[in-house]
Amino acid sequence: MSAVPAHGTPRTRYTSVGRGQAAWRMIGSSIEILALTVTNAARPPEHVAFDDDSCHDLCWARERFGKFADLWDAIRSEYWQLLFHSDASVT
């Protein structure tokens, strides 16, 4: 099973929990966190995009943005579902 579609670019996935939404993708058997968006009814959403030249994995995101533990847990859960369910699309 491969996380890279036929055209060669990994699919960006979006997971939302509470006030946080993360953009992420699977690279091989790893998770790469691309961006974090934080919403708050009192002000405009804050968007943090991560440098394309550096791979920011789930562990890094947990350490840097620990208050979004529920979001990181949800991504981890989706990741395992994609890896181990042969009928799930990983593209």
Side-chain angles (χ1 to χ4, degrees), residues 19-21 36-40 43-48 65 67-68:
R19 296 182 309 113
Q21 179 187 58
L36 172 65
T37 301
V38 180
T39 58
N40 183 333
R43 60 181 188 245
E46 297 175 52
H47 182 74
V48 181
F65 301 96
K67 68 181 179 180
F68 294 99

Side-chain angles (χ1 to χ4, degrees), residues 11-91:
R11 176 178 155 203
T12 299
R13 301 174 182 286
Y14 298 90
T15 302
S16 298
V17 173
R19 296 182 309 113
Q21 179 187 58
W24 62 282
R25 62 184 173 199
M26 290 177 59
I27 304 294
S29 61
S30 299
I31 297 171
E32 181 180 19
I33 305 297
L34 305 172
L36 172 65
T37 301
V38 180
T39 58
N40 183 333
R43 60 181 188 245
E46 297 175 52
H47 182 74
V48 181
F50 305 119
D51 186 353
D52 287 340
D53 295 334
S54 301
C55 180
H56 299 293
D57 63 11
L58 192 56
C59 182
W60 176 89
R62 281 185 187 280
E63 290 174 3
R64 179 96 193 255
F65 301 96
K67 68 181 179 180
F68 294 99
D70 291 344
L71 176 59
W72 311 133
D73 289 346
I75 291 172
R76 182 187 61 209
S77 178
E78 289 180 39
Y79 166 80
W80 285 112
Q81 288 177 358
L82 290 168
L83 272 183
F84 291 108
H85 290 89
S86 60
D87 60 338
S89 171
V90 293
T91 60

